[in-house]
Amino acid sequence: MSSPRAPRRPHARLTALRPLHAEWTKLRTLHSSWWLLAATAVLTVTVGVAALSAVGTGACPSAAACHEDTVKLSLTGVWLGQATALVLGALSMGAEYGTGTIRTTLTAMPHRVALLVSKAAVLAAMTAAAGTAAILGSLYAGRLILPGNGFTPEAGYPLPSLADGPTLRAAFGSVLCLTLTALLGLGLAALLRDSTGAITTGLGLLYAIPLLADLLGDPSWRDRLERWAPMPAGLAVQATRDLSRLPIGPWPGLGVLAAYALGLLLVAGAAFRVRDA
C-alpha cells in the first residue's frame, strides 16, 4: 500500500516568493524608480497633448480629407516615454553593479536565474502600471482636444474609446511597448554590467536607427529598418487606420520589439549564470 502523498509545505511556497519580495522591496525603496515611473507617465501624456494641440483639420480641404489616425496621434507620447522606461530598466540592474551591492544580492539569493526572472517580473509590473495610467491619460486628452481641432464624430473621427477594438489594441500594445522597453534596458544592463553603457546602447537602438532610416534615400532600405528596428516596429501596434500601408503589421511589429527585449534577457541570463559578479 502506497503512502499518502505529502502536501506541499508552505515553506517551499515562501521560498519561491522570496526573490520577488526582495526585488519589489529594492525597487520601491529607490527614489529614482518612482521618479522615472512618474516621468514615464507625465512625458507620455504631455507629448501626446502637444501633438494633439498641434494638429487640426484647417489645412485640409475638409475634415474627412485629413485621414488622420487620431488614436495614434493621441498616443504619440509613447515615443518619448520609452526613453524613461529604458532608463528605469537599466538602473534596476546596473545600479547594483555600480554600487557593488550585486555581491550582497547574490549572497542572499544565489539562484541567479530566479533572481533575474524576479527582477524582470517586478519591473514589468511597475512599468505596466505606470504605462496604463499614461495611456488612459493620453486617450482622455484626445477625447477632450480632438473635437476642438475639427476631428469630430460627424467628420468621421470617433472619439478614442476602449470599447473600439482597434483602439483597445493600440492602447494595450502601447502599454506593452513601454513594458518591453523597460525589459530591454534590464537585459542590456545585465549583459553589460553597466548602467551608462546599457542606457547609451538602448537609446541608440531606439532612436538612432529610426533617424538613420529617415536619412536613407532608398525606400526599400527605409522599409527594412522600419520593419526590424525595435521602436518603429513596436509602435506599429498603435495604428488604427490604413494598416495596409504599414511596413509591418501591428502585432508582428510588437513581436519584433518583444524579440529584442526577451532575446537580450535570455542572453543576459545565460551570461549572468556563468560569470562572476
Side-chain angles (χ1 to χ4, degrees), residues 131-223:
T132 299
I135 298 309
L136 292 178
S138 298
L139 292 176
Y140 181 69
R143 292 180 65 88
L144 294 178
I145 297 172
L146 287 168
N149 290 351
F151 296 107
T152 61
E154 293 77 17
Y157 299 97
L159 296 179
S161 171
L162 295 178
D164 174 60
T167 302
L168 179 61
R169 184 251 300 152
F172 179 67
S174 294
V175 174
L176 287 179
C177 275
L178 292 169
T179 304
L180 289 168
T181 303
L183 294 177
L184 179 71
L186 171 62
L188 285 170
L191 186 62
L192 301 177
R193 298 190 284 187
D194 176 64
S195 297
T196 304
I199 292 169
T200 303
T201 304
L203 291 177
L205 276 173
L206 292 179
Y207 296 100
I209 295 179
L211 180 62
L212 178 62
D214 291 336
L215 295 175
L216 290 175
D218 188 341
S220 62
W221 274 104
R222 188 185 304 119
D223 283 349

Side-chain angles (χ1 to χ4, degrees), residues 3-221:
S3 59
R5 187 176 181 180
R8 188 179 181 185
R9 293 176 298 172
H11 177 70
R13 290 193 292 269
L14 291 175
T15 301
L17 292 175
R18 273 188 60 205
L20 280 172
H21 182 266
E23 292 306 319
W24 161 244
T25 301
K26 281 190 285 187
L27 272 179
R28 71 178 174 83
T29 53
L30 285 175
H31 293 300
S32 60
S33 298
W34 297 108
W35 280 110
L36 287 167
L37 288 168
T40 300
V42 171
L43 284 175
T44 300
V45 175
T46 301
V47 173
V49 167
L52 288 164
S53 302
V55 177
T57 59
C60 303
S62 66
C66 281
H67 300 292
E68 185 69 47
D69 190 336
T70 52
V71 173
K72 186 175 181 179
L73 182 65
S74 301
L75 300 174
T76 300
V78 174
W79 178 84
L80 188 58
Q82 284 182 281
T84 52
L86 176 87
V87 173
L88 173 65
L91 290 179
S92 69
M93 187 69 166
E96 292 195 61
Y97 280 108
T99 59
T101 55
I102 187 66
R103 297 182 182 88
T104 305
T105 297
L106 291 175
T107 300
M109 291 181 290
H111 299 289
R112 299 189 177 202
V113 173
L115 169 63
L116 188 60
V117 169
S118 298
K119 193 179 287 288
V122 172
L123 174 67
M126 294 178 73
T127 308
T132 299
I135 298 309
L136 292 178
S138 298
L139 292 176
Y140 181 69
R143 292 180 65 88
L144 294 178
I145 297 172
L146 287 168
N149 290 351
F151 296 107
T152 61
E154 293 77 17
Y157 299 97
L159 296 179
S161 171
L162 295 178
D164 174 60
T167 302
L168 179 61
R169 184 251 300 152
F172 179 67
S174 294
V175 174
L176 287 179
C177 275
L178 292 169
T179 304
L180 289 168
T181 303
L183 294 177
L184 179 71
L186 171 62
L188 285 170
L191 186 62
L192 301 177
R193 298 190 284 187
D194 176 64
S195 297
T196 304
I199 292 169
T200 303
T201 304
L203 291 177
L205 276 173
L206 292 179
Y207 296 100
I209 295 179
L211 180 62
L212 178 62
D214 291 336
L215 295 175
L216 290 175
D218 188 341
S220 62
W221 274 104

